Amino acid sequence: MRPQDVIRRKREGDALSAEEIEFFVQGVTSGEFTDYQAAALLMAIYCRGMDETEQRTLTEAMLHSGDVLDFSDIPLPKADKHSTGGVGDKTSLVIAPLAASCGVAVPMISGRGLGHTGGTLDKLEAIEGYRVKLTLAEFRRVLKLCGFAMMGQTAEIAPADRKLYALRDATATIETIPLIVASIMSKKLAAGLNALALDVKTGTGAFMREESRARELAHALVAIGNSCGVRTEALLTDMNQPLGRAVGHALEVHECVEILRGESHAGAAPVLNLSVELTARMVALAGVEPTLEAARERVTRALGSGAALECFRRNVEAQGGDPRVCDDPARLLQTSTLRAVKVESPRAGFVTQVEAAEIGYAVSGIGGGRTRLEDEIDFQIGFVADAKLGDELRAGDALGTLYCRDDTQGRQAGERIRAAYTVGDEAHVAPVKLIKEVITA
Amino acid sequence: MRPQDVIRRKREGDALSAEEIEFFVQGVTSGEFTDYQAAALLMAIYCRGMDETEQRTLTEAMLHSGDVLDFSDIPLPKADKHSTGGVGDKTSLVIAPLAASCGVAVPMISGRGLGHTGGTLDKLEAIEGYRVKLTLAEFRRVLKLCGFAMMGQTAEIAPADRKLYALRDATATIETIPLIVASIMSKKLAAGLNALALDVKTGTGAFMREESRARELAHALVAIGNSCGVRTEALLTDMNQPLGRAVGHALEVHECVEILRGESHAGAAPVLNLSVELTARMVALAGVEPTLEAARERVTRALGSGAALECFRRNVEAQGGDPRVCDDPARLLQTSTLRAVKVESPRAGFVTQVEAAEIGYAVSGIGGGRTRLEDEIDFQIGFVADAKLGDELRAGDALGTLYCRDDTQGRQAGERIRAAYTVGDEAHVAPVKLIKEVITA
């Protein structure tokens, strides 16, 4: 078998055999499949697609290109959640301790932010001292100690995915369901999970803006998860405005700690509600509670009792962070060193549309995120949104507050954020339905 | 502009702008477009196509990636022919001296053989001492002296094509019309031609087996040639059996010299007829004769008078080869050192089908061609076909004679060639129409 024979078959729209897919994935790791041959095959997959059997084979081949973690010595079901990414999408920081406090072990392997979205690892690093670069032994120890542990993908986990993802990024072959599914699921399956709750976002701040495409992705992810033996469900959720109020690393951690403390702002309700629902699904799928209803009650209790906050505190301590942020979330914010710029509505009317990705890009563009992989992040920079879709505003009312370093940044990002909001005359904007659909099979 | 932006646009099926195509071609040469990005774009072009404007822009960008030769100091119109390749397709060796003897200068930049097809440069090297690696100065001197000169693509001619062709070969992106057109025409246009006759082959020994695809290619080539200012026509010709009798390097040169000497075997008539027709088109397109009919007459006269043979002799001498092959073509063949194996028809009946490519592969497979670019060729090895489509045979009659080095080769290639012929009961096989169509615009 030669790489070009496999490429030729996919180019013609044929379904690849398991042998061909394994040859591809192993060849990418070994170098027998060169980068340019892999790139050609990725584009052929982009153009011609892959059926469910191919997707499953690709996922498993990528999974087995590296180590599969074994946490069978931890006598708890393992579950995780994964989000396809959005703006202000910070639920992992609430969900991981919340699920852990309900008797689910959460070995969470997360990512970095790029472009308009943030990454869980970056957000955690906004906590002074917090280490996300753990050895597998440390990760295991933290997981046992706290019920959850957070780290990045290591060189041992799905190495084929690391290589392919870098190629896809450089060759415009990211946005195709078979490759997205294999990339997400190969990493998630490497953590040896029993259950997985997925948050597939759609809207102006999501990778899949179109709802039909996001739904298609959700179905594909759920199908592959279940066929690989992980009980998997997906929520299709709204990403037509930032989730909650905070966009920016320290600001988002702050919002999450407030939620865990039971003292969050009303504007953070979507973060709270979505976190509870996703955690409840993890708890139910993992079999810790017999019904979704019982799982919701348990999760709500764990949040109300402060048990989730305690889990979080133990984790922060175990991973080297300053646990005092749990008692005094304001420690996360260095407000005095920042310039707070009110972003004003240019006119009276109703918020009819928000280009959420633009808000993410505006914050990234002044250092509050990455525009390139090698960028350093200023954790303090961010935006706190006040106006939500449907809100009525007067001219000059705050759309929100931008936290930045100087006036130039303020003007640059402030203008971009202002332009992201459409304030129009329509009095009746359809209310936002946060959870649009539940996909269970 | 970034490579991935260009890839993304083509991936979505958009037509690329001139600026984008030039960025691609220049980037491939400079390295700004990496190999894997180029491979992804090539596959996107394979899957999504390119319109005529894009094809023309791509061709011109590849042409201008290197030197364009200027023969304006030679006071003759310049013309060339190009074939898309087949088995036993040796007309260049007749056409170049024939056109030269009619007052057309033929600066012919040819290729090497690979797989089932031979290459003109390799065939010329079957003449002892013949040098195809000329400097541009030598090429110009030979062209002035003989009216035609033969050489390979140099590093200076369309370097982007060299790079892209190697990538296409490794990534299964050869067989797509926009890329074929740009590759062929960028090299042909680099010779500074006024006229070009194309031989687009279709059938079991052609790259384009399907007639409809070959016709599409012919139309695309003619359109680009004319729009780039070169008067261009194409013949759509049959390649459902070897052209003429000889397949193999020395054997093919031998067949051509016999044609130039006016003493060829009846089985070589298709080579003769096609060469005359293609040369006549070159002569007419170049404006040397006012009508195609006048051009045919002039070409036939130049062949009959021995003028073409004299041109060939001068060229062989000028390019370092042994000119005595022109007087005694048998010098080309070292028959005494070879084993001649009769390939017999397994049954009585009519030749109803010939898998011409299989004959080419059979000869290549025992050293008479290249299966890999780095292979050395045994010029003496080859096959002389006796049976043609429609011929009636008795069991044991010769399909042809295989010239090889030993019994193992004889069995291996003999069996493969025998299997390439279908001898059936149908008495009436449709007569082969060598020239199926003329495409003039």
Side-chain angles (χ1 to χ4, degrees), chain A residues 89-363:
Chain A
D89 176 20
K90 57 198 70 91
T91 61
S92 289
L93 277 67
V94 176
I95 289 170
L98 191 49
S101 69
C102 295
V104 173
V106 184
M108 193 177 272
I109 297 166
S110 295
R112 299 282 180 183
L114 187 65
H116 69 282
T117 65
T120 299
L121 299 180
D122 297 322
K123 290 172 194 174
L124 287 165
E125 285 180 343
I127 301 170
E128 208 188 319
Y130 197 102
R131 288 173 49 233
V132 297
K133 284 181 189 155
L134 304 183
T135 64
L136 277 180
E138 287 174 320
F139 187 67
R140 185 182 298 277
R141 191 178 58 74
V142 174
L143 180 59
K144 280 186 184 167
L145 189 71
C146 319
F148 79 97
M150 315 290 272
M151 68 184 280
Q153 194 185 350
T154 67
E156 291 79 30
I157 295 171
D161 174 65
R162 292 167 73 88
K163 180 133 193 191
L164 287 175
Y165 196 87
L167 265 182
R168 286 167 61 204
D169 186 42
T171 59
T173 48
I174 296 278
E175 303 90 344
T176 178
I177 285 174
L179 299 177
I180 295 173
V181 166
S183 177
I184 291 175
M185 297 306 282
S186 64
K187 283 175 290 190
K188 285 291 161 187
L189 297 177
L193 303 177
N194 305 102
L196 178 61
L198 296 163
D199 180 7
V200 179
K201 298 201 173 287
T202 179
T204 58
F207 285 106
M208 298 275 176
R209 290 176 79 99
E210 273 177 63
E211 191 169 321
S212 60
R213 289 273 294 158
R215 181 175 292 110
E216 199 187 330
L217 174 61
H219 278 284
L221 289 165
V222 169
I224 297 301
N226 284 305
S227 83
C228 291
V230 178
R231 294 189 64 194
T232 307
E233 287 181 3
L235 303 184
L236 188 67
T237 70
D238 183 81
M239 183 29 72
N240 281 301
Q241 58 187 339
L243 185 70
R245 301 179 79 225
V247 178
H249 295 77
L251 289 165
E252 293 191 36
V253 180
H254 180 263
E255 188 167 275
C256 290
V257 175
E258 286 195 333
I259 288 171
L260 290 169
R261 292 178 57 80
E263 55 194 28
S264 59
H265 189 283
V271 184
L272 172 61
N273 296 339
L274 184 54
S275 298
V276 167
E277 187 61 21
L278 284 164
T279 311
R281 298 210 169 244
M282 285 165 67
V283 167
L285 287 168
V288 170
E289 291 291 339
T291 66
L292 181 59
E293 206 37 63
R296 284 195 189 110
E297 279 172 29
R298 178 157 179 176
V299 167
T300 307
R301 272 202 311 279
L303 193 59
S305 72
L309 180 67
E310 286 317 300
C311 260
F312 187 67
R313 185 199 307 277
R314 278 202 300 281
N315 172 275
V316 171
E317 203 154 12
Q319 298 207 196
D322 178 357
R324 290 176 297 178
V325 300
C326 298
D327 304 308
D328 179 12
R331 295 184 75 93
L332 286 157
L333 308 179
Q334 295 157 13
T335 324
S336 64
T337 70
L338 296 168
R339 195 146 309 187
V341 177
K342 180 182 171 195
V343 181
E344 297 181 357
S345 174
R347 54 164 287 184
F350 297 85
V351 179
T352 55
Q353 210 191 331
V354 184
E355 270 297 322
E358 275 297 299
I359 298 174
Y361 283 123
V363 169

Side-chain angles (χ1 to χ4, degrees), chain A residues 14-79:
Chain A
D14 296 339
L16 299 182
S17 69
E19 195 190 356
E20 287 170 323
I21 291 171
E22 281 154 16
F23 171 59
F24 166 52
V25 173
Q26 286 161 19
V28 163
T29 315
S30 72
E32 199 178 341
F33 231 95
T34 62
D35 283 355
Y36 48 88
Q37 289 169 324
L41 184 55
L42 291 169
M43 183 56 80
I45 292 170
Y46 184 96
C47 293
R48 307 300 192 209
M50 273 189 148
D51 66 26
E52 194 180 316
T53 306
E54 290 176 281
Q55 287 181 36
R56 182 189 159 159
T57 310
L58 179 61
T59 303
E60 292 190 332
M62 281 165 58
L63 167 64
H64 292 295
S65 71
D67 293 349
V68 179
L69 308 185
D70 178 6
F71 298 117
S72 55
D73 57 323
I74 299 176
L76 292 172
K78 284 91 204 167

Side-chain angles (χ1 to χ4, degrees), chain A residues 3-5 7-8 11-12 34-37 39-41 43-44 46-48 166-167 169-175, chain B residues 3-5 7-8 11-12 34-37 39-41 43-44 46-48 166-167 169-175:
Chain A
Q4 47 270 63
D5 300 329
I7 300 168
R8 181 171 288 111
R11 178 193 91 177
E12 297 305 313
T34 62
D35 283 355
Y36 48 88
Q37 289 169 324
L41 184 55
M43 183 56 80
Y46 184 96
C47 293
R48 307 300 192 209
L167 265 182
D169 186 42
T171 59
T173 48
I174 296 278
E175 303 90 344
Chain B
Q4 46 271 62
D5 301 327
I7 301 168
R8 179 170 292 112
R11 177 193 94 178
E12 298 304 313
T34 63
D35 282 356
Y36 48 89
Q37 289 169 324
L41 184 56
M43 182 57 80
Y46 184 97
C47 294
R48 307 299 192 211
L167 265 181
D169 187 45
T171 58
T173 47
I174 295 279
E175 303 89 346

